[in-house]
Amino acid sequence: MTAAEQRHTEKMRRVQASRRAMMATKTQEKGLLIVHTGAGKGKTTAAFGMAIRTIGHGMRVGIVQFVKGAMTTGERAVFDAFPDLVTFRAMGEGFTWDTQDRARDVAVARAAWDEVARMVADPSYAMVIADELNIVLRYDYLQVADVLAVAAVRPAMTHLVVTGRNAPAALIEAADLVTEMTQVKHPFRGGVKAQPGVEF
Amino acid sequence: MTAAEQRHTEKMRRVQASRRAMMATKTQEKGLLIVHTGAGKGKTTAAFGMAIRTIGHGMRVGIVQFVKGAMTTGERAVFDAFPDLVTFRAMGEGFTWDTQDRARDVAVARAAWDEVARMVADPSYAMVIADELNIVLRYDYLQVADVLAVAAVRPAMTHLVVTGRNAPAALIEAADLVTEMTQVKHPFRGGVKAQPGVEF
């Protein structure tokens, strides 16, 4: 081993010791309120990635889609392969500019939230995903207070995941884990259309 | 319908028309070079979410993990349920502070990149994911020029996805789609440990 390699080894040994000491202080397990927001891609995709992780551990996931009901997605086909572990409810009837009917959108949002609340109350679900919930909060189709009330009384080990741009401040304040997906570069700007595997 | 509801309907009709006109300009299909970077969570998770979408469309995915080989993940169990569609190679031998041997890390990174290059050259893969590649680029275990050379000659429809914090500027410059995951709030700070479904 050269002197440089020896220095690398010693440095990495110190990093490892420091990381082990840091990780040893992380002992708590609890259900998290998780928010994926921001204008970039990956909010729903990362939530569905966590769903896949959860399924892989043999634990149950409930998914309610608030606005993308009309879109057939590739992940749906995979979730359908695990019917005992995944409950998938596409409650939204499409984007709000497609329905053009506020009263119906409010009713649909309320019904979708009732489904989330039902799943959250059932401790057999390790994770519940309210996909694009932030959109309906943004349009005032649902109140953030209603969301926080359900989150507050959920079972101790249940992860509740909320996605969508423009997460309300009160939701971010209440959350344990918040990630903002920031758009650095997007191919739509270059005329590239939505493609299977990437967008759906 | 009330006057307010009528105004909502008209506004949404305009939004819909404008969106349709915008989306009609997006006609190109092509394989994208996609980068997930930033210090926040969701980089690998969103990449694996795209893998699930791709699988759901019956298309093949190749995944090479550069540094997380030692970690058993929930998503791995799900990928294993689709052996005809997923090739998963955990090439990394753990975090660099665990191996403490630079020469071995360089050799492992090179072997992992060779595997990515082999997958990328095979047009039967619709998507190839180089997970945590940015980490080995950051440590100079591999050169970004080598990565760009392979990306440049890949089949026209192959999506190449690169994850990891600290993506090099040259990679961002070459990419079609770049998302930065920004950490707003993280539960490790509150003493909560990595949990199944969320982190692995």
Side-chain angles (χ1 to χ4, degrees), chain B residues 43-112:
Chain B
K43 299 181 289 293
T44 295
T45 324
F48 287 176
M50 287 195 294
I52 293 296
R53 285 189 174 148
T54 304
I55 295 165
H57 289 289
M59 303 188 298
R60 294 184 72 206
V61 179
I63 302 171
V64 176
Q65 287 197 299
F66 278 77
V67 288
K68 282 186 178 164
M71 195 183 281
T72 306
T73 58
E75 54 266 47
R76 183 68 187 268
V78 174
F79 290 141
D80 287 350
F82 299 88
D84 296 341
L85 294 177
V86 184
T87 309
F88 193 108
R89 300 260 185 265
M91 308 281 290
E93 298 190 353
F95 292 106
T96 187
W97 49 80
D98 287 325
T99 63
Q100 301 169 9
D101 181 338
R102 183 178 163 84
R104 198 176 76 180
D105 287 345
V106 168
V108 165
R110 167 54 57 185

Side-chain angles (χ1 to χ4, degrees), chain A residues 17-192:
Chain A
S18 145
R19 273 193 65 89
R20 283 189 178 157
M22 186 269 284
M23 294 311 285
T25 68
K26 316 303 177 192
T27 54
Q28 197 188 352
E29 289 198 329
K30 66 170 211 170
L32 302 176
L33 177 56
I34 299 173
V35 176
H36 293 174
T37 192
K41 285 176 58 64
K43 299 181 288 293
T44 294
T45 324
F48 287 176
M50 288 195 294
I52 293 296
R53 284 189 174 147
T54 304
I55 295 165
H57 289 289
M59 305 188 297
R60 293 184 73 204
V61 179
I63 302 171
V64 176
Q65 286 196 299
F66 278 76
V67 288
K68 282 186 179 163
M71 195 183 283
T72 305
T73 59
E75 54 266 48
R76 183 69 188 266
V78 174
F79 290 141
D80 286 349
F82 299 88
D84 295 343
L85 294 177
V86 184
T87 309
F88 193 108
R89 300 261 185 263
M91 309 281 291
E93 298 189 353
F95 293 103
T96 187
W97 49 79
D98 287 325
T99 63
Q100 301 169 9
D101 181 338
R102 182 179 164 85
R104 197 176 77 181
D105 286 346
V106 168
V108 165
R110 167 54 58 187
W113 181 250
D114 288 346
E115 181 66 15
V116 171
R118 193 192 63 74
M119 289 175 172
V120 164
D122 176 351
S124 78
Y125 288 104
M127 178 178 287
V128 178
I129 298 174
D131 184 48
E132 302 287 10
L133 172 62
N134 290 334
I135 308 292
V136 307
L137 292 172
R138 169 84 164 177
Y139 277 93
D140 280 328
Y141 293 170
L142 203 68
Q143 302 309 307
V144 68
D146 295 340
V147 171
L148 297 181
V150 167
V153 298
R154 75 188 191 282
M157 292 309 298
T158 302
H159 301 301
L160 175 59
V161 185
V162 175
T163 78
R165 59 175 72 190
N166 298 309
L171 181 63
I172 290 175
E173 176 61 32
D176 301 290
L177 171 56
V178 181
T179 306
E180 180 170 338
M181 278 66 172
T182 307
Q183 179 174 303
V184 177
K185 197 185 263 189
H186 198 296
F188 283 7
R189 297 199 170 160
V192 176

